[in-house]
Amino acid sequence: MDDWERWDRRERTRLSPYERLALLEIEAHLRQDRGFARRMGGGAHREREDRHRGCWLPVGVLLLAAASAFAAVMGVRTSDPALLWCFAVLWPLTLFQAFRLLCRAARRRGRPGERVGSWL
């Protein structure tokens, strides 16, 4: 039983097959519109996108932190200006990405029914 049949039974409304097809086509078209899905709160598209993007931000923060630490230590040890400039460029990016990660964790913590550590 599809959603339309359940809806028809609740509302006691009969839709013709043509109307059902037209409404299903409209819904399919709206599901493909990412901007509309974003404005309407996401739905399944947003959940799928969050799962896909969910692991890359923590990995990126870890890699940037490791690269920043390496550039800082090696720059201080060798006094190489190129390594110090690499650190100067990497460190603000690392802080920005870490801030995004913390914001994501705080936003998800506020959602009911979701695990606290799910952002890792």
Side-chain angles (χ1 to χ4, degrees):
M1 178 183 306
D2 65 353
D3 291 337
W4 286 110
E5 290 175 6
R6 278 186 252 143
W7 183 78
D8 283 345
R9 288 184 181 168
R10 280 194 310 254
E11 297 294 325
R12 303 277 188 231
T13 304
R14 304 294 286 176
L15 296 175
S16 70
Y18 176 75
E19 291 171 329
R20 285 184 186 182
L21 181 62
L23 287 173
L24 289 174
E25 288 175 357
I26 291 170
E27 284 184 349
H29 179 70
L30 290 175
R31 275 190 220 109
Q32 292 174 352
D33 186 1
R34 291 182 181 189
F36 178 75
R38 195 176 313 115
R39 287 189 304 268
M40 296 303 290
H45 174 73
R46 182 180 175 114
E47 292 170 7
R48 193 170 50 240
E49 190 174 287
D50 282 348
R51 277 190 307 232
H52 179 66
R53 290 186 319 163
C55 68
W56 291 112
L57 186 58
V59 170
V61 170
L62 287 174
L63 291 175
L64 279 170
S68 296
F70 177 78
V73 169
M74 293 306 292
V76 168
R77 286 191 76 200
T78 63
S79 298
D80 186 10
L83 285 171
L84 293 173
W85 277 106
C86 284
F87 172 74
V89 169
L90 285 173
W91 186 241
L93 292 173
T94 304
L95 291 178
F96 176 70
Q97 293 292 63
F99 179 73
R100 285 184 58 207
L101 185 64
L102 290 173
C103 288
R104 180 192 291 180
R107 187 172 55 241
R108 286 197 177 171
R109 182 173 281 186
R111 291 183 190 165
E114 191 165 331
R115 294 182 324 202
V116 174
S118 65
W119 54 277
L120 288 175

